[in-house]
Amino acid sequence: MRLIPIIINILIIGLFLYSKLLPYKDKLNPQYKNIFDFFNSIFSPIFNFLKNIVKPFQVGIGLSVDMSQIVLLIIFLMILNFF
């Protein structure tokens, strides 16, 4: 039963790296590109679904934050808390 927290922790780390590397995905080495593509295949459908539910949060004039990554992080942390 300790496998689920390990998987959730890997997904949290993957989410962090995904958000940092997304603007540079075309410049990744092939080895890291495969890892990025793996996490992209997991997170991309989730983000597309969440973007329909959670709208961007306006933090300034013409400046908003995409809340889907934060919502997904909160969901992961809540799941992790149950185990």
Side-chain angles (χ1 to χ4, degrees), residues 4-5 10 20 23 28 36 56 63 68 70 82:
I4 293 174
I10 290 170
K20 293 295 182 184
L28 292 174
F36 179 85
L63 183 62
S68 59
I70 296 170
F82 289 124

Side-chain angles (χ1 to χ4, degrees), residues 29-45:
N29 292 336
Q31 174 188 3
Y32 299 111
K33 178 78 169 144
N34 289 335
I35 297 170
F36 179 85
D37 289 340
F38 170 75
F39 283 108
N40 189 37
S41 68
I42 294 172
F43 294 136
S44 201

Side-chain angles (χ1 to χ4, degrees), residues 19-77:
S19 66
K20 293 295 182 184
L21 294 176
L22 186 60
Y24 310 106
K25 65 182 177 182
D26 296 332
K27 297 179 182 179
L28 292 174
N29 292 336
Q31 174 188 3
Y32 299 111
K33 178 78 169 144
N34 289 335
I35 297 170
F36 179 85
D37 289 340
F38 170 75
F39 283 108
N40 189 37
S41 68
I42 294 172
F43 294 136
S44 201
I46 297 171
F47 290 148
N48 289 336
F49 174 74
L50 287 175
K51 284 181 183 179
N52 293 332
I53 297 172
V54 180
K55 300 301 177 195
F57 184 75
Q58 183 134 4
V59 294
I61 299 172
L63 183 62
S64 59
V65 175
D66 180 18
M67 295 299 292
S68 59
Q69 292 181 1
I70 296 170
V71 169
L72 185 59
L73 177 61
I74 291 169
I75 291 170
F76 284 155
L77 291 173

